[in-house]
Amino acid sequence: MSQFWSPAVRALTPYVPGEQPREKLVKLNTNENPYPPSPAVEWVLQAFAVDHLRRYPDPESLALRQALARTHCVEPDQVFVGNGSDEVLALAFQTFFCQPKPLLMPAISYSFYPVYCKLYDIHYRTVALDDRWQIALEAFDTDNGGVVFANPNAPTGHGHSRQAVAQLLERVTESVVLVDEAYVDFGGESVVPLIADYPNLLVTGTLSKGRSLAGLRVGYAIGSRELIEGLERVKNSFNSYPIDMLASEVAIASLEDQSHFRACCEQVMATREWTRQQLETMAFEVLPSQTNFLFVRHPRHSGASLFSGLRERGILVRHFNKDGLSDFLRISIGTDDEMGSLVEALQVMV
């Protein structure tokens, strides 16, 4: 720890991303899509004029915002873009949640949320999940400086309906409600249509999961023009050119290939259900999932021992060594062959 760090930096506990192994493993730990992006992405990469890179990109990312607007049936000025949804979330926390009242979030959700709070000195309060490991939307009270939750939730996998989120928005009207839809493409119900009726709703999303573009880093937010304007003010005080030319063209090509997108998501969901059935025959408890992962535990084996045993057999999953989660594994959905290898390894272990 350097003497030159500011006191705030010394107090930070950064987010720890999933391992990116150097050795060859069946990689089921970071919720990446097992299938390649649209063939149109490769065409863009092959045709891109390298000479364009000597110039700055469009600071407004208008073409990309127009493509996202068409995809989600909104207007371009209701769309904000950034380098992955993590950057968009960070800017949203800074824009909306630095308030006198506490930000409310689930006790178990995306673990980056508390990191943002510490970075921006945001006071927050957590709300426990219910006895089914679901976010209890009714437990969010109205006296708050904002609400944030992932829907479907990570790492538990449950998603709330649009109607359930609308009921929350009927109660929480004086602060921003941020719904993180990173996993919505795998069976969740998007709440983007609610934006027309609830000006305090901000929805974030990513092209990393359903669009197979985790290596590109493109995320977005959709909300009222007033919310987007606030995000733009913060972004332009930090980095006026967040989306590079190549990322923009690749993202647009992916968004325009809806058939490939739907086919990949449907395949992931089918494999997820097959895997769930196989795990349940081995006595695993498998939480219901509307994501591209499963959250599971076994009554006779600890999460740590299963994690280590799978690693020894060349399969990498995610184990959260935290109170309340240490018995569970989060297993990303891979190809049919990869999930078959997982099931075969577990059959020997349990």
Side-chain angles (χ1 to χ4, degrees):
M1 189 173 293
S2 171
Q3 61 176 318
F4 301 111
W5 292 4
S6 68
V9 172
R10 295 184 187 187
L12 289 176
T13 302
Y15 172 78
V16 179
E19 179 185 356
Q20 297 291 340
R22 298 185 184 277
E23 68 267 42
K24 185 175 177 60
L25 297 170
V26 176
K27 190 172 181 299
L28 306 176
N29 70 319
T30 51
N31 300 339
E32 294 146 328
N33 197 312
Y35 303 107
S38 163
V41 167
E42 186 171 358
W43 303 336
V44 167
L45 293 173
Q46 292 174 348
F48 185 80
V50 177
D51 181 63
H52 289 175
L53 294 179
R54 65 187 178 85
R55 298 190 181 277
Y56 284 107
D58 174 13
E60 297 183 356
S61 300
L62 180 58
L64 176 55
R65 287 169 44 230
Q66 288 172 332
L68 283 162
R70 289 192 296 271
T71 300
H72 294 281
C73 300
V74 296
E75 296 299 320
D77 60 3
Q78 294 176 292
V79 180
F80 176 86
V81 292
N83 287 296
S85 61
D86 286 337
E87 181 180 76
V88 175
L89 285 166
L91 294 172
F93 271 59
Q94 192 173 21
T95 303
F96 305 115
F97 298 146
C98 295
Q99 304 285 352
K101 295 180 180 180
L103 171 65
L104 304 183
M105 66 180 72
I108 298 174
S109 193
Y110 187 26
S111 55
F112 226 139
Y113 300 157
V115 174
Y116 297 138
C117 289
K118 293 175 183 177
L119 178 62
Y120 297 126
D121 196 23
I122 297 170
H123 178 47
Y124 70 95
R125 182 159 53 84
T126 61
V127 176
L129 303 190
D130 66 19
D131 57 6
R132 295 178 296 171
W133 294 88
Q134 298 177 7
I135 297 173
L137 295 182
E138 66 280 2
F140 290 118
D141 61 51
T142 57
D143 188 27
N144 62 68
V147 174
V148 61
F149 60 96
N151 190 47
N153 194 33
T156 55
H158 174 265
H160 284 285
S161 68
R162 187 179 301 157
Q163 181 181 3
V165 177
Q167 291 172 352
L168 171 67
L169 290 162
E170 287 291 328
R171 296 191 298 107
V172 179
T173 60
E174 301 301 315
S175 61
V176 169
V177 175
L178 195 163
V179 181
D180 179 355
E181 291 191 345
Y183 296 100
V184 76
D185 297 331
F186 304 101
E189 184 177 22
S190 176
V191 300
V192 167
L194 297 178
I195 286 166
D197 298 317
Y198 300 97
N200 64 323
L201 171 63
L202 186 73
V203 182
T204 59
T206 179
L207 275 63
S208 295
K209 306 296 193 292
R211 302 280 173 177
S212 305
L213 292 174
L216 192 71
R217 313 310 302 133
V218 173
Y220 60 89
I222 301 176
S224 67
R225 292 172 175 84
E226 292 76 14
L227 294 186
I228 300 304
E229 181 183 359
L231 286 169
E232 293 285 353
R233 287 172 65 89
V234 174
K235 184 266 287 185
N236 289 330
S237 301
F238 174 72
N239 177 12
S240 297
Y241 300 98
I243 303 296
D244 64 74
M245 291 178 180
L246 185 56
S248 180
E249 290 196 21
V250 167
I252 291 168
S254 175
L255 289 166
E256 291 176 344
D257 191 349
Q258 286 293 100
S259 60
H260 179 87
F261 162 69
R262 286 193 293 266
C264 287
C265 292
E266 288 170 3
Q267 181 60 58
V268 168
M269 289 188 284
T271 305
R272 179 188 70 205
E273 292 310 301
W274 178 85
T275 305
R276 177 188 61 79
Q277 293 171 10
Q278 300 302 309
L279 293 175
E280 287 179 346
T281 64
M282 291 182 274
F284 277 93
E285 177 188 1
V286 184
L287 299 191
S289 176
Q290 292 173 285
T291 66
N292 66 336
F293 60 82
L294 293 170
F295 204 50
V296 310
R297 63 180 171 182
H298 198 277
R300 298 189 303 275
H301 301 273
S302 71
S305 65
L306 290 172
F307 171 82
S308 298
L310 287 171
R311 179 80 187 237
E312 291 171 0
R313 291 165 173 79
I315 300 172
L316 184 60
V317 297
R318 190 78 187 267
H319 177 240
F320 298 94
N321 190 20
K322 299 178 180 179
D323 290 343
L325 299 180
S326 59
D327 288 339
F328 283 90
L329 297 178
R330 192 193 68 190
I331 303 172
S332 304
I333 302 302
T335 63
D336 288 347
D337 287 345
E338 289 173 332
M339 304 316 289
S341 296
L342 169 81
V343 168
E344 290 176 5
L346 287 172
Q347 286 172 337
V348 174
M349 294 168 58
V350 303

